[in-house]
Amino acid sequence: MVRRWILALAAAALSVCAGAFAAGPDTVRVNTFPNAKALPFHAGIERGIFAGRGLALELSFTENSTAQREGLAAGRFDVVHAAVDNAVAMAASGKGDVVIVTGGDNGMNEFFVQPEIASFADLRGRTLVVDAPNTAYAIQAKKILLKHGLREGADYRVVPVGRGELRLKAMAENKDYTAAILNLPFTIQAEQMGMKSLGSTVDMLGPYQANGAFALRTWVEANGALLERYIAAYVESLRWVRRPENRAECVAILVAKLKIPREVAERTYRTLVDPARGFTPDARFDMEGFRNLLALRAEIEGGRGEPRSPESYLDLGYYRRALATPAK
């Protein structure tokens, strides 16, 4: 009888294990931009950090923020990491009830121009290339130019070409494309091509909440526990990236994933982990930067109906609970 009891327990344990194996990890479909700020995803996958939380990360990259917003609205992604102004744009257009769940960084953006441009005044009659014409870094660029007396349409024109890599490519191939907002590693590559930075967007415009995670509210409400595990894994990956002892491995990842020279990767990594310019520790949300974002958007793009409070776009409860979860 004892032997039968032991065999029954063993069979039950095997059944549970088989069921768990069959179920496998939970998949989270994440979409972002293929730039240096994707480093925590690559590191988290390679180091098994997401897997350690029982997650299979299905990572995809976008050509531009318009396609990304459309994909999220259509349910092709679960979570998007991008400039959170895109979440505000989705809400404003009625093309998706989204909620912002983390911060990430201030953009790490610089305003780059062709070599012959000496000042913002020289951009009169020229062309600004952007990702999408009415969100995020395009709004920053328009505000900067407005501060220097230049108005869209009257004094310069805007051409959407897509993500940072494509903006740099457009400027390299067509000198008529005179200016663009760029971030890492494209700022470093632009400098090496002889282009010039007219300054950091944060220095010119003040605090700015740029990159963050957002998702459709319906998905968030239906997958709260999964979202918390995902945020915990992302923050753990970000912490790993920011540790000095992991510098060499991070540089190697940047070289492999972005196809850039090691010297560019080294400089990129130093900026990514710079306390003032790089990743926000633990992907904290910058409320002052978000209020500035909303003010910039209202000034440049206008608004419809009653303005919404900053808090109405957010649900940081999942983030707070995720940070309270012990590391695996």
Side-chain angles (χ1 to χ4, degrees), residues 310-328:
E311 292 77 13
S312 68
Y313 295 99
L314 312 174
D315 191 337
L316 300 178
Y318 300 95
Y319 172 83
R320 289 189 288 269
R321 289 187 291 274
L323 260 62
T325 305
K328 298 297 183 182

Side-chain angles (χ1 to χ4, degrees), residues 224-301:
L226 177 60
L227 177 62
E228 289 171 22
R229 283 161 53 206
Y230 168 74
I231 294 172
Y234 177 79
V235 170
E236 187 179 345
S237 300
L238 179 58
R239 288 173 177 172
W240 187 90
V241 163
R242 297 183 73 246
R243 292 190 192 111
E245 64 268 26
N246 298 325
R247 179 193 62 79
E249 193 168 344
C250 286
V251 168
I253 292 172
L254 289 170
V255 169
K257 297 298 182 181
L258 299 182
K259 311 301 181 189
I260 55 178
R262 180 164 297 276
E263 185 266 338
V264 174
E266 289 274 5
R267 290 180 59 189
T268 296
Y269 178 76
R270 287 198 296 272
T271 302
L272 287 174
V273 299
D274 183 277
R277 300 170 60 201
F279 287 123
T280 305
D282 289 353
R284 289 194 302 266
F285 192 82
D286 179 1
M287 184 59 80
E288 181 185 2
F290 188 56
R291 290 194 179 97
N292 195 21
L293 177 159
L294 293 175
L296 284 174
R297 183 172 187 82
E299 178 185 356
I300 302 300
E301 291 297 317

Side-chain angles (χ1 to χ4, degrees), residues 14-24:
L14 285 171
S15 176
V16 169
C17 290
F21 180 78

Side-chain angles (χ1 to χ4, degrees), residues 142-180:
K142 291 176 185 180
K143 174 60 177 177
I144 290 167
L145 291 171
L146 188 61
K147 288 179 67 174
H148 290 85
L150 302 178
R151 295 183 177 275
E152 180 187 1
D155 301 305
Y156 66 92
R157 71 186 186 108
V158 173
V159 175
V161 298
R163 64 197 190 200
E165 171 193 359
L166 300 177
R167 298 196 293 277
L168 177 60
K169 184 174 184 287
M171 290 181 69
E173 294 177 350
N174 186 347
K175 299 303 181 183
D176 290 336
Y177 290 156
T178 318

